[in-house]
Amino acid sequence: MHTEVLVLGLGPAGASAAAEAARRGRSVLAVDRKREAGRPVQCAEFVPGMVGMDVGHLATSARQPIRAMRTFVEDEAADVKANFPGQMLDRAVFDAGLVDEARQAGAQCRLGVRVRSIRADGRVDLSDGSVVEAAVIVGADGPRSLAGCAIGQCNTALVETRQITVPLLVPHQATDIFLSAEIPGGYGWLFPKGRVANLGAGVDIAHKAALKDIVAQLHAALRGSGRVGAEVLGMTGGLIPVGGMLTPWGALENTLVLLAGDAAGLTHPVTGAGIAPAVHSGRLAGRAACEWITGSRSAGTEYQDELESVFKAALDRALRRRRELSETFAAGMQPGKAALRRGWIAYPEYWAA
Ligand SMILES: Cc1cc2nc3c(=O)[nH]c(=O)nc-3n(C[C@H](O)[C@H](O)[C@H](O)COP(=O)(O)OP(=O)(O)OC[C@H]3O[C@@H](n4cnc5c(N)ncnc54)[C@H](O)[C@@H]3O)c2cc1C
């Protein structure tokens, strides 16, 4: 089977890439192992306000506005950052909307199809038995991207997460962040979504055995203060790449491979936020794919330059802060409150030199 652009993964990055390339008139095949777009949800579902500029259908997937961020350092009272606008989404509706946009633009989107392997010559084996040849592969297949590994660009630094959905007993319009030396390499969160809330934590993957207790303790504390109910309405988790941006392109013989979203390591290494970078990089990857097909041999490097100009400064700072905390843990010590503050975006210390 031949297509001009083969997109691996139909999360926000892949669906955005497929839509962009199809809008520009290219033949696009996009596949995802999920049977239904966006399900199961593996996300805390917060996006900053500016995503609305990129995604037309944001209004249909938004579930409640967020106005502030509150950060709790150990047992201290909350520090409030008042101006922190964003939206809580229904992530399944959000992702499905992006896949619909890709289909409307003319991309062939096939769900329930797994990428089995990527050969050294760029041909891709799918679980339905087909072998696909493409001028460009867009690897948008998440943190453990097969496309990334095929060109030697694998995410190695990862955070493991666990999240439960619980009844929210007191309406809330802020994202609550819990920082503690007992949550190594990550943080706890309570994100309100109407009458429910996503309550979870992420830790450096080396500490994943501690996650169940961390989330249970957070749940017990929030239940104790009357903010959430005891019932667990849902549970999810997943990996978050936190090692920063990879080289987002490479070649397999004549096939250009572009990486987007989590596969390119664009997720913020401190907050874990990756929806907005996935949408943005997906669009750019779709455009770069078309430029390659129309003869631009520099499409890969130009794509890398564009990603670096948008994301590199923020990713580099986050990586520095992440490493400062990791070094403390690696030395067998626990970070104090000042170090935890320096490692979180809400505090001026984070932004200092
Ligand atoms: C628990 C948790 C909470 C999070 N909370 C937030 C948040 O509140 N805000 C935020 O901005 N970010 C959050 N993130 C990060 C965010 O979810 C990701 O950064 C975002 O989904 C990246 O989009 P993507 O399209 O690159 O990858 P994904 O959304 O992971 O999409 C990749 C797709 O590729 C498919 N795929 C993978 N391998 C194969 C294969 N072999 N064959 C076929 N298909 C394949 C997958 O099924 C998937 O649909 C969270 C992540 C986790 C785990």
Side-chain angles (χ1 to χ4, degrees):
M1 193 192 286
H2 183 84
T3 181
E4 287 179 306
V5 182
L6 173 62
V7 180
L8 312 183
L10 275 165
S16 302
E20 186 68 26
R23 261 186 226 115
R24 288 167 182 261
R26 297 293 146 199
S27 67
V28 179
L29 171 64
V31 297
D32 198 297
R33 63 188 173 195
K34 289 182 177 168
R35 292 186 182 284
E36 203 182 333
R39 290 184 197 276
V41 171
Q42 294 177 284
C43 189
E45 303 180 293
F46 172 75
V47 286
M50 66 189 184
V51 168
M53 293 190 293
D54 260 339
V55 180
H57 73 271
L58 183 67
T60 57
S61 52
R63 289 297 172 266
Q64 83 146 75
I66 293 293
R67 314 218 181 274
M69 172 163 51
R70 305 197 313 167
T71 310
F72 297 80
V73 180
E74 301 290 6
D75 52 358
E76 290 186 353
D79 294 311
V80 182
K81 184 171 168 50
N83 184 19
F84 188 67
Q87 286 290 343
M88 285 296 292
L89 300 177
D90 181 322
R91 177 72 196 269
V93 173
F94 181 81
D95 284 19
L98 289 173
V99 173
D100 282 348
E101 277 181 18
R103 285 197 167 118
Q104 279 160 23
Q108 192 194 141
C109 299
R110 289 168 57 190
L111 295 166
V113 176
R114 174 183 289 271
V115 179
R116 281 215 179 109
S117 62
I118 303 173
R119 303 186 197 178
D121 65 3
R123 282 183 295 167
V124 176
D125 293 278
L126 301 179
S127 59
D128 61 3
S130 52
V131 181
V132 185
E133 250 177 42
V136 182
I137 295 172
V138 177
D141 46 344
R144 296 251 200 230
S145 167
L146 289 178
C149 292
I151 57 166
Q153 297 295 319
C154 307
N155 290 301
T156 49
L158 296 161
V159 154
E160 182 67 80
T161 63
R162 179 182 174 90
Q163 177 179 279
I164 55 178
T165 300
V166 292
L168 183 66
L169 305 181
V170 183
H172 194 50
Q173 293 208 315
T175 51
D176 284 5
I177 302 293
F178 303 93
L179 304 180
S180 168
E182 304 296 327
I183 312 179
Y187 63 92
W189 65 79
L190 179 78
F191 290 0
K193 195 175 140 190
R195 302 170 84 158
V196 300
N198 292 331
L199 187 170
V203 293
D204 187 290
I205 198 163
H207 297 271
K208 71 176 181 184
L211 259 182
K212 197 173 172 191
D213 284 348
I214 292 169
V215 174
Q217 280 168 21
L218 198 50
H219 188 194
L222 290 163
R223 249 176 19 226
S225 60
R227 296 186 61 201
V228 305
E231 201 182 346
V232 173
L233 305 167
M235 188 176 292
T236 188
L239 291 172
I240 300 181
V242 292
M245 187 173 146
L246 303 168
T247 301
W249 68 280
L252 296 171
E253 294 193 357
N254 296 324
T255 303
L256 176 71
V257 179
L258 300 167
L259 305 178
D262 278 12
L266 295 176
T267 320
H268 194 280
V270 165
T271 65
I275 300 171
V279 170
H280 194 71
S281 61
R283 297 250 160 100
L284 294 179
R287 193 178 78 195
C290 299
E291 283 165 2
W292 171 265
I293 290 163
T294 51
S296 166
R297 295 302 96 178
S298 56
T301 46
E302 281 167 23
Y303 174 60
Q304 178 172 356
D305 289 347
E306 278 184 304
L307 290 186
E308 285 180 353
S309 71
V310 179
F311 298 111
K312 194 169 184 306
L315 292 176
D316 283 354
R317 177 180 295 277
L319 273 178
R320 276 206 306 282
R321 295 292 181 253
R322 188 172 180 83
R323 283 190 188 127
E324 287 164 10
L325 284 171
S326 316
E327 282 162 12
T328 308
F329 285 111
M333 297 183 297
Q334 290 211 324
K337 292 176 185 173
L340 291 171
R341 281 196 187 86
R342 186 171 160 81
W344 185 249
I345 57 162
Y347 295 101
E349 300 90 307
Y350 177 92
W351 300 98

